[in-house]
Amino acid sequence: MNPVLSAGEKVRKWAGEILPVPTRTLSHLLTCCLAALLVFSVLTPQSAHARINVVTLPDRDTVQLTIYNSADLTLVKETRHLTFKKGINKLEFSWANTLIDPTSVEFRALTHADEVEVQDVSFPPRVANTLEWRINSEFAGDVTVEIRYFTSGISWSADYVCEANRNETQMDFAGAVRVTNNSGEDYENAQVRLVVGVIRLVQEIADLARAGKPGGTPTTLAAQTAPPAAARALRMEAFGAMATADKLAAAQPREIVKEGVSEYFMYTVEGRDTIPNGWSKRMPSFKTDGVPLTSYYKYEKERWGDQVIRFYQFTNSVANKLGKEPLPDGAVKAFRFVSDDLLYAFVGRTSVKYIPINEFVELELGNDLEVSVKPTLMDWQKTDLQFNASGNVIGWTTKETWEIEVQNSKDIAVVVDIRRNFSGDWTLTTQQQYENVDKTKVKFVLPLVPRAKQKFTYELVTRHGTNATR
Amino acid sequence: MNRILCFAVAGLLAGSAAHARVKLVALPERARVVVSLNNPDATLVEEERIITLQKGVNKVDFSWRGVNIDGTSIQVRALSHPNDVKVLNTSYPPNENALVWEISSPAAQEERVRISYLLSGLTREVTYRAVAEPNEKSLALRNYLRLHNNSGEDLTDAEVSVGYGSNFKKTIAHEEVLEMLSERIADLPIRKLLTWDAASQPWDPEYQKNTVGIPLSYVITNDKPSKLGTHTMLPGKVRIFIKTKEQPTREGEQVGEGVAFTGEDWAQLTPVDREMKLFIGQSRDVKVTQRKTKDDKTNIRRNSGNNIVLNDTDEIYKIEIENFKKEPVNLVLVEHVPGYWKMIENSHAAQFKKKDAFTFEYNLTLPAESTGEKKTTVTFNLNRLNVQGNEPASF
């Protein structure tokens, strides 16, 4: 019995006999080499050694990439059409120069599922990055199969651009996702799904991939990740293929569909994409105009020294024109429009943590020279001394009078949050409104109109030694 | 020159144009360049170009070599048809400083686009030059912005914005240093001040081998009456000159006007309404002698081992000041006292000012030629209270 393959594929028989085949592209041939899949009969005795002659496979019908951002992990799902014969069929799958985890490769039949069953899977000796399934089929003919595996080397990240209006009361907020493919493999016309969430991995996928087979000895990273020259040629071709596909697409940014799954959130990019090995691609995810914003300034000497740090605050809620989805962690760049023709001033850049729906968000954007806070200790007294039986001082009380000068030299109103840290048994007296953050920290919040200066004082009494009651 | 800022547009409608990275359709010139230096940590460049888009999806290639662009910061915005022309995605090829935008256009049209990115290597420096009037009551201040362009990029006819004042239009080539006048203020009032600080100056000049100079400063206030007060003054070197008469070198010449250099200092960051104090030299015509004439321990408390565990003090200080100049002089005396203290008696209460818990000052105007019998004498008597020897001296 000869190899049983789907129609229209290049076929090579066991003993090197070549059958006429339709012409294939270079791209296709190289894809074959990278992840070869072959069905052959076990009835031919020398089949076990025939592997090296194999250059053929049925093409992928669909590819889906589910990319995680918390770990170097991507779930690849591909479907292919295979032609089975009744009885035992052998199927070979190989993946040179990629970062596929051999322990993760799974096979299942999507059609005739109850008639097609994997008997076992073998990782043959002296051959790296190859496995063979022995599949028992009670059906002869075309079967659609799904092959699923993990790969490392594909990652995605979110990033955001915030464009504040001149008064810093509103912003246009846009999110994008960027997918980077360093997996060694070109996944052409793939459906891309992005997972926001933290999953647990007990072993790194990249380490498993480098092992070549389950329990194998890892080879060097370079050997696995450096793509051969041919792969680069393929990549260039693949880009052309992407362009052709895209020209047919509607001239609108792709929609990114969002859905919650367990503790995770999944973004599915509309349509199909090709991200050739080595490339990355950034796609807009959402843009919302007129999101209410507060320009908020913080001063805390213990944290930032004498600097006043600017924050943009907003809430990821429907009331604030957001709140449709949690926002993945990512880099943020903030700009402010400074002219009628929308020229930018660069406000700062930061990274945000994962933002659940309805979460209040603060973007830390660095020092602003035009807002200043200057605390001065104006008076210090030591009183109420206590002595022990030997006449040594064992208790005393200090009273500090502080003056805080807050200044807004900007043309727009701002809010300044001043935190003061006190230790020991203290009592604070002031005319200024404040809030206890915790037992050692208080917060004064002062709204300041443009070009305003404000001063307030407080008195801090601290009981030391035996005078302290807490 | 190993630097390129390359810009190419390729329409996708022709099948052969699919490989946009190779087939350049247009290389549009920059229509406008704006360099924003508002943020001290990063330089933002915005450049506008007019590109010709075909109907459908266009690939726009932007690449740079030898230019210090933060690749993650690059953005493009459509200006002519912001609602119709859309950026579909951005692709980043491996191992190249390049990106490819896919931009959709509903029609074949020209589009003005604005590309923004953060550029490193364009550093700035602020320097000040001032010329004081001979009476030292005012000066003319010029504020210069010095740009060092090591960004790899030639910025031609760039509008440079520093966040205040109006923009400049300048061309600054790679590796060029360009200095430009950013502000000029005439008749800016100044206060000339001598500062004698008890913590850093010798108390008794008689015991010094050399003449003790007293630090001389010009004080500028960053406020409206001083024709300033619009923005925080940035740190930088200040060089101060003073107008002088230029004596004739030949017979028949008139007395001319010239300048002499009087000193320089680093200006500190000065927010609006704060003072910028520039220490530019020393005065040797004022002599300050400070002596402690009383230092008694009182209210002594001892422990069972007869060691003093607590006491008060009674301290008297006497400061004698002579001004040998023919003009009155402003002098600030700075005194430091740690811990808890109370002023008991003070010869110059009107000139006394507590600056913080452990510092006070006398702001004195010394009459002209107030020497010998006419010298100024400041005395104060203070008590330090509940002294254990571990009191704070700063905060």
Side-chain angles (χ1 to χ4, degrees):
Chain A
M1 301 298 289
N2 284 327
V4 186
L5 289 166
S6 56
E9 295 296 334
K10 185 170 186 172
V11 175
R12 176 172 288 191
K13 286 172 74 180
W14 292 126
E17 180 192 349
I18 297 170
L19 300 177
V21 290
T23 317
R24 302 302 306 249
T25 62
L26 170 66
S27 147
H28 179 78
L29 287 175
L30 284 162
T31 309
C32 299
C33 297
L34 292 176
L37 188 65
L38 172 75
V39 186
F40 53 93
S41 162
V42 290
L43 297 182
T44 312
Q46 64 272 57
S47 64
H49 308 291
R51 192 172 305 109
I52 50 166
N53 290 328
V54 170
V55 290
T56 172
L57 86 170
D59 207 1
R60 281 174 185 147
D61 291 317
T62 65
V63 189
Q64 182 194 61
L65 303 174
T66 306
I67 311 166
Y68 291 75
N69 67 345
S70 65
D72 181 9
L73 164 69
T74 295
L75 173 65
V76 183
K77 189 179 84 177
E78 45 181 74
T79 58
R80 305 192 192 223
H81 284 288
L82 301 180
T83 307
F84 281 88
K85 65 175 230 358
K86 270 195 178 169
I88 298 292
N89 297 257
K90 266 198 178 181
L91 193 59
E92 182 180 300
F93 184 71
S94 64
W95 58 90
N97 294 314
T98 69
L99 293 167
I100 291 171
D101 166 12
T103 66
S104 69
V105 186
E106 275 191 80
F107 169 94
R108 78 182 168 120
L110 296 177
T111 56
H112 306 280
D114 48 354
E115 296 167 283
V116 177
E117 200 184 351
V118 176
Q119 298 280 303
D120 55 33
V121 54
S122 156
F123 295 86
R126 296 175 295 280
V127 185
N129 300 319
T130 300
L131 64 76
E132 278 175 18
W133 284 294
R134 262 187 349 131
I135 295 164
N136 185 30
S137 178
E138 289 167 14
F139 169 80
D142 261 15
V143 176
T144 308
V145 305
E146 177 185 288
I147 295 166
R148 229 169 36 206
Y149 50 87
F150 291 157
T151 182
S152 71
I154 306 179
S155 59
W156 76 276
S157 59
D159 68 89
Y160 305 92
V161 172
C162 158
E163 299 171 325
N165 63 358
R166 274 171 121 158
N167 291 338
E168 297 183 322
T169 54
Q170 284 192 348
M171 64 166 173
D172 298 345
F173 192 58
V177 291
R178 180 171 170 159
V179 178
T180 302
N181 179 7
N182 286 313
S183 69
E185 170 74 315
D186 301 298
Y187 292 96
E188 287 176 44
N189 291 317
Q191 184 189 51
V192 176
R193 306 197 303 173
L194 311 170
V195 176
V196 185
V198 179
I199 49 134
R200 182 167 184 236
L201 282 180
V202 295
Q203 277 181 294
E204 293 293 325
I205 300 301
D207 291 343
L208 294 168
R210 282 194 290 270
K213 64 177 70 173
T217 313
T219 54
T220 63
L221 183 63
Q224 285 290 338
T225 55
R232 191 176 159 78
L234 168 65
R235 181 164 68 240
M236 301 305 283
E237 285 296 316
F239 187 80
M242 172 173 71
T244 314
D246 284 351
K247 88 181 175 198
L248 302 169
Q252 284 292 328
R254 297 235 177 100
E255 201 190 327
I256 294 186
V257 181
K258 291 115 184 175
E259 61 176 319
V261 184
S262 177
E263 289 302 307
Y264 316 116
F265 209 82
M266 189 145 68
Y267 289 7
T268 306
V269 182
E270 189 189 43
R272 285 163 185 275
D273 259 297
T274 296
I275 300 154
N277 182 42
W279 285 68
S280 66
K281 191 166 186 177
R282 184 171 177 267
M283 295 164 272
S285 168
F286 69 89
K287 183 164 196 276
T288 311
D289 291 350
V291 176
L293 178 74
T294 306
S295 185
Y296 197 82
Y297 288 80
K298 288 189 191 179
Y299 173 89
E300 187 170 354
K301 198 173 175 81
E302 292 77 4
R303 236 174 132 183
W304 298 296
D306 292 331
Q307 293 192 330
V308 180
I309 305 296
R310 172 175 20 205
F311 289 82
Y312 277 177
Q313 295 179 335
F314 64 96
T315 305
N316 183 22
S317 68
V318 173
N320 288 284
K321 302 188 176 182
L322 295 168
K324 291 184 201 78
E325 72 220 60
L327 303 174
D329 45 336
V332 186
K333 288 188 180 69
F335 301 90
R336 180 164 81 105
F337 292 127
V338 289
S339 68
D340 294 337
D341 64 344
L342 303 181
L343 281 170
Y344 279 158
F346 178 60
V347 177
R349 52 185 146 186
T350 186
S351 55
V352 281
K353 295 182 266 197
Y354 171 78
I355 307 164
I357 292 172
N358 289 327
E359 171 91 313
F360 169 75
V361 187
E362 289 191 317
L363 305 176
E364 184 183 328
L365 296 169
N367 174 225
D368 187 336
L369 298 177
E370 302 298 340
V371 178
S372 66
V373 175
K374 192 181 168 201
T376 309
L377 174 64
M378 289 308 294
D379 196 50
W380 188 88
Q381 296 183 9
K382 178 162 65 182
T383 55
D384 197 12
L385 287 113
Q386 304 297 323
F387 302 88
N388 63 9
S390 328
N392 289 312
V393 177
I394 52 166
W396 69 100
T397 298
T398 55
K399 187 171 100 180
E400 296 176 1
T401 307
W402 286 85
E403 187 178 278
I404 314 280
E405 191 183 284
V406 192
Q407 190 173 337
N408 173 20
S409 307
K410 296 170 81 83
D411 290 325
I412 57 175
V414 299
V415 179
V416 186
D417 170 327
I418 298 159
R419 311 248 168 144
R420 303 295 283 163
N421 292 286
F422 310 132
S423 56
D425 178 9
W426 55 270
T427 309
L428 181 68
T429 315
T430 178
Q431 301 290 314
Q432 187 70 34
Q433 239 186 3
Y434 70 93
E435 193 185 303
N436 286 311
V437 177
D438 62 27
K439 67 181 272 288
T440 61
K441 201 190 288 282
V442 300
K443 174 167 101 172
F444 299 92
V445 179
L446 284 82
L448 285 168
V449 297
R451 303 203 165 270
K453 195 149 74 169
Q454 228 175 315
K455 244 184 212 179
F456 68 91
T457 58
Y458 66 81
E459 212 175 80
L460 181 74
V461 173
T462 312
R463 291 161 289 277
H464 303 271
T466 54
N467 289 6
T469 55
R470 65 182 165 107
Chain B
M1 281 283 132
N2 183 33
R3 61 213 144 82
I4 297 174
L5 247 178
C6 176
F7 196 79
V9 186
L12 281 180
L13 292 185
S16 59
H19 207 305
R21 303 190 52 66
V22 184
K23 294 179 195 295
L24 306 186
V25 173
L27 192 64
E29 284 300 309
R30 286 170 172 160
R32 185 186 183 193
V33 182
V34 183
V35 178
S36 163
L37 302 170
N38 301 43
N39 190 317
D41 302 325
T43 302
L44 175 73
V45 177
E46 295 194 271
E47 52 175 71
E48 291 175 16
R49 307 208 191 208
I50 294 160
I51 58 174
T52 307
L53 295 175
Q54 297 179 36
K55 186 179 176 179
V57 179
N58 299 259
K59 280 190 186 288
V60 178
D61 194 306
F62 186 76
S63 63
W64 61 100
R65 194 169 74 220
V67 183
N68 299 321
I69 290 178
D70 171 359
T72 67
S73 71
I74 304 170
Q75 278 193 67
V76 63
R77 290 184 280 165
L79 299 182
S80 318
H81 307 90
N83 297 322
D84 301 329
V85 171
K86 293 199 161 69
V87 179
L88 302 179
N89 61 58
T90 314
S91 292
Y92 304 84
N95 310 318
E96 274 184 71
N97 287 325
L99 57 79
V100 183
W101 285 299
E102 282 191 355
I103 297 179
S104 80
S105 174
Q109 58 190 355
E110 281 200 336
E111 184 69 25
R112 194 180 183 97
V113 295
R114 186 181 288 154
I115 299 162
S116 314
Y117 49 86
L118 298 174
L119 185 68
S120 58
L122 188 67
T123 53
R124 75 208 76 169
E125 200 183 338
V126 170
T127 62
Y128 300 89
R129 253 166 272 165
V131 179
E133 291 298 320
N135 65 9
E136 297 180 281
K137 300 268 187 224
S138 68
L139 49 74
L141 181 73
R142 282 173 300 161
N143 178 354
Y144 294 86
L145 180 70
R146 198 181 287 155
L147 290 179
H148 300 250
N149 184 2
N150 289 308
S151 68
E153 192 172 347
D154 294 331
L155 298 163
T156 308
D157 286 331
E159 296 166 44
V160 181
S161 144
V162 279
Y164 52 84
S166 44
N167 293 0
F168 319 93
K169 197 158 195 173
K170 296 284 175 189
T171 294
I172 172 164
H174 173 55
E175 294 188 331
E176 183 177 350
V177 179
L178 186 71
E179 187 177 278
M180 51 195 129
L181 183 63
S182 61
E183 236 176 349
R184 186 207 302 260
I185 293 129
D187 300 322
L188 166 61
I190 54 168
R191 238 162 8 102
K192 182 183 171 181
L193 207 63
L194 302 183
T195 306
W196 187 90
D197 190 320
S200 52
Q201 298 288 117
W203 283 21
D204 197 339
E206 198 190 317
Y207 286 82
Q208 301 298 315
K209 267 213 161 83
N210 300 316
T211 309
V212 175
I214 297 180
L216 160 70
S217 309
Y218 284 167
V219 180
I220 294 169
T221 311
N222 184 11
D223 62 4
K224 284 265 147 53
S226 303
K227 302 177 189 176
L228 293 166
T230 54
H231 60 87
T232 294
M233 293 176 80
L234 297 173
K237 189 193 267 186
V238 189
R239 285 203 158 133
I240 297 178
F241 299 82
I242 191 161
K243 280 186 186 165
T244 57
K245 288 196 175 74
E246 211 93 315
Q247 296 305 322
T249 51
R250 265 179 259 155
E251 227 173 290
E253 269 184 358
Q254 297 295 309
V255 173
E257 215 177 55
V259 291
F261 180 56
T262 63
E264 64 182 23
D265 193 12
W266 294 105
Q268 302 299 307
L269 183 85
T270 311
V272 173
D273 286 343
R274 298 261 167 85
E275 286 184 342
M276 179 187 276
K277 197 170 178 182
L278 304 167
F279 162 45
I280 56 166
Q282 291 184 343
S283 169
R284 297 171 161 219
D285 291 333
V286 172
K287 187 171 157 189
V288 178
T289 309
Q290 171 160 310
R291 293 192 175 98
K292 200 175 193 178
T293 58
K294 187 181 186 188
D295 190 4
D296 291 352
K297 281 193 174 75
T298 59
N299 299 325
I300 292 170
R301 191 165 170 134
R302 293 173 189 272
N303 62 10
S304 52
N306 204 29
N307 297 313
I308 297 176
V309 292
L310 196 71
N311 66 272
D312 295 343
T313 68
D314 187 21
E315 302 175 23
I316 295 176
Y317 293 80
K318 183 176 169 190
I319 305 134
E320 292 172 324
I321 309 153
E322 290 178 284
N323 176 19
F324 298 96
K325 274 186 172 300
K326 288 187 163 52
E327 306 87 37
V329 169
N330 294 319
L331 174 75
V332 179
L333 294 179
V334 186
E335 302 287 344
H336 306 271
V337 190
Y340 179 22
W341 56 273
K342 270 185 184 158
M343 187 62 85
I344 305 298
E345 213 179 304
N346 186 352
S347 67
H348 287 69
Q351 286 86 9
F352 170 88
K353 191 176 182 198
K354 192 169 179 181
K355 296 294 282 182
D356 63 50
F358 313 116
T359 314
F360 63 87
E361 288 179 0
Y362 289 99
N363 284 282
L364 305 169
T365 303
L366 309 175
E369 296 182 292
S370 47
T371 59
E373 293 295 296
K374 288 194 255 173
K375 72 186 165 202
T376 307
T377 304
V378 174
T379 56
F380 60 88
N381 172 205
L382 60 82
N383 291 347
R384 294 179 61 209
L385 304 172
N386 293 332
V387 177
Q388 287 176 276
N390 57 359
E391 282 70 30
S394 63
F395 61 94

